[in-house]
Amino acid sequence: MKLSNKIQSVEASGTVKFTPLIQKLREEGREIISFAIGEPEYDTPAPVVEATKHALDAQKTKYGPVSGIPELRAELAKQFDGYDADNIIISNGSKHSLYSLFQVLCDPGDEVIIPNPCWTSFPQQVKLAGGVPVLVDTINAQLDCEGIEKAISPKTKAILLNSPNNPTGAVYPKKDMEQIARIASKNDLYVVSDEAYHIFIYDNIDYKSFFAFEEVRDRAIITKSFSKTYSMTGFRIGYIAASKAIVNAVAKCQGHTTGNVCSFAQYGALAALSLDKRILSQWRAELEKKREIAYGCVSKFFDCIKPQGAFYLFPNVSRYLKNGKTSEDFAADLLEKAGVAVVPGEAFGMPGHIRISYAVREDILKKGLEKMTEVL
Ligand code: GLU
């Protein structure tokens, strides 16, 4: 008996595996500060919880439409000029959106270009679809557009963008996005743009969604999520905004995989869309402050790009790696000696680095940084 070659070629998620490990250490009585999983510290806003409870009371507990409840799709479409509800499909989070997208885009051997370092799941999801991830290293965490163009082959199907970026926090400037739009047009490629961190932008910089480039709208596929934006990680709700052809293809796939997304959770998501936007501005401002705290400390020890979005730092720790030690060993040491959990760069295709999520409570952030400082 043998499992498929496909599943054997896939690596386990380098981020989610930390949650049970940290829980186990805590159960053993260790005090662990986690900068590992990327999750906002905030409670899910009360109106979202209330609307979800209300939906439960109203028996919104049955099968629903595969593509999501119509009112949520219609409301989400309003962000996308010229789109209507049929351009939106609700999923069980960005991870699920991306999984389905690669299923509908890739034939066996088709290539997807991914700027590296990248979120742990991107290459694995391409492989799960029978595709081949083609990693192109970034330059100082920014896109190497020339390198991306050179990596295109007759098998290339799509370029994957993720700005603000996980794990680096880099935000891509408009000129680079334009360049990618040009490259995609010239080579007849899709552009999948994972914009899960779009509200976490700092320094007042100008952020552009890939949707902004009208001339390539037919090839743009935007994925967004409620998880980080509204602190609803456990609800598992995300969505895709794309051409109707793509949305219909993803619906075909979802119809055979998940059926519908949790019915009552979608009513919580609907309520999230009418939250007072000041809450989100406050979260963004608090995260910007935490970025300063975290970057101020971490940059004393390591080379690190100052992120302008998301809530991660991705320092290069290689000067601490003596005698053949890897960043995985370094992260294990940090957990053992400082009780601080981080994710090693191996999970993001870039050994020699660690990822630090600073979206934790400020006092916890400071305490964790102090513990790291002592050990370093
Ligand atoms: N996306 C978050 C992270 O990178 C959550 C974990 C995951 O889904 O990978 O930490």
Side-chain angles (χ1 to χ4, degrees):
M1 284 203 303
K2 189 173 168 294
L3 298 176
S4 72
N5 291 333
K6 187 195 280 180
I7 200 66
Q8 291 187 68
S9 79
V10 167
E11 288 157 29
S13 164
T15 47
V16 297
K17 74 174 179 198
F18 281 91
T19 307
L21 175 65
I22 292 165
Q23 202 176 331
K24 183 171 166 277
L25 290 170
R26 284 179 179 152
E27 275 163 17
E28 285 167 12
R30 293 272 324 263
E31 191 197 0
I32 304 293
I33 291 187
S34 177
F35 296 156
I37 195 89
E39 182 168 52
E41 55 144 315
Y42 304 107
D43 283 346
T44 302
V48 175
V49 175
E50 279 313 310
T52 310
K53 284 186 192 163
H54 186 77
L56 273 168
D57 288 339
Q59 289 291 315
K60 304 286 189 195
T61 52
K62 302 287 165 61
Y63 290 136
V66 166
S67 302
I69 56 171
E71 51 273 57
L72 181 58
R73 296 173 75 198
E75 205 50 42
L76 287 168
K78 290 181 186 164
Q79 304 167 64
F80 303 96
D81 197 26
Y83 273 9
D84 60 35
D86 293 338
N87 292 97
I88 306 289
I89 179 161
I90 312 298
S91 68
N92 292 287
S94 291
K95 195 173 275 190
H96 178 221
S97 298
L98 290 156
Y99 176 87
S100 305
L101 278 169
F102 296 128
Q103 296 294 324
V104 309
L105 295 181
C106 292
D107 282 317
D110 280 353
E111 295 173 1
V112 177
I113 296 180
I114 308 174
N116 197 50
C118 61
W119 179 46
T120 192
S121 292
F122 291 151
Q124 311 309 324
Q125 292 186 328
V126 172
K127 286 198 244 169
L128 281 167
V132 178
V134 175
L135 303 184
V136 175
D137 280 350
T138 49
I139 303 173
N140 289 330
Q142 289 295 334
L143 294 174
D144 174 7
C145 294
E146 239 172 69
I148 289 175
E149 190 154 25
K150 276 196 201 128
I152 293 171
S153 82
K155 284 283 198 183
T156 309
K157 218 44 190 293
I159 300 171
L160 175 52
L161 297 182
N162 173 215
S163 172
N165 184 267
N166 178 4
T168 64
V171 177
Y172 303 147
K174 182 175 171 221
K175 69 169 180 39
D176 287 357
M177 305 276 268
E178 269 167 355
Q179 179 103 355
I180 296 296
R182 264 195 303 275
I183 294 171
S185 276
K186 193 167 127 199
N187 296 281
D188 193 21
L189 305 176
Y190 287 105
V191 175
V192 177
S193 185
D194 172 0
E195 302 180 0
Y197 297 89
H198 69 108
I199 68 151
F200 304 113
I201 301 286
Y202 313 126
D203 304 326
N204 283 320
I205 57 163
D206 183 29
Y207 164 74
K208 280 271 170 289
S209 160
F210 199 74
F211 189 77
F213 304 101
E214 252 175 83
E215 57 296 351
V216 286
R217 203 151 282 170
D218 54 334
R219 55 186 78 252
I221 304 173
I222 314 294
T223 68
K224 287 187 171 182
S225 149
F226 284 78
S227 298
K228 277 61 173 198
T229 312
Y230 300 104
S231 209
M232 294 169 60
T233 46
F235 276 64
R236 308 313 304 134
I237 302 208
Y239 55 100
I240 298 168
S243 68
K244 291 179 182 170
I246 292 285
V247 164
N248 291 339
V250 172
K252 213 198 279 188
C253 181
Q254 279 192 189
H256 292 295
T257 51
T258 56
N260 65 277
V261 171
C262 175
S263 305
F264 48 88
Q266 291 183 74
Y267 289 90
L270 189 59
L273 297 179
S274 18
L275 281 174
D276 184 339
K277 297 291 174 281
R278 282 174 300 187
I279 298 178
L280 307 187
S281 307
Q282 190 190 325
W283 290 356
R284 197 208 53 74
E286 286 174 11
L287 278 163
E288 184 158 2
K289 183 175 170 215
K290 288 178 200 170
R291 176 200 61 163
E292 291 301 328
I293 296 169
Y295 180 75
C297 173
V298 167
S299 59
K300 280 192 214 141
F301 296 101
F302 312 110
D303 283 341
C304 185
I305 304 292
K306 188 168 188 184
Q308 292 194 296
F311 36 66
Y312 305 111
L313 297 176
F314 195 59
N316 184 335
V317 298
S318 31
R319 70 190 183 90
Y320 284 82
L321 305 179
K322 302 270 151 58
N323 307 323
K325 278 204 167 184
T326 63
S327 37
E328 241 168 30
D329 300 328
F330 181 88
D333 269 2
L334 210 54
L335 185 58
E336 180 53 38
K337 296 184 184 146
V340 173
V342 298
V343 184
E346 282 83 348
F348 307 101
M350 195 146 287
H353 293 68
I354 55 169
R355 191 192 73 174
I356 295 170
S357 168
Y358 56 82
V360 295
R361 252 182 29 216
E362 192 177 316
D363 57 325
I364 294 177
L365 176 65
K366 287 181 174 160
K367 194 165 172 194
L369 292 170
E370 266 165 33
K371 287 180 170 234
M372 271 176 73
T373 302
E374 273 166 33
V375 165
L376 289 168

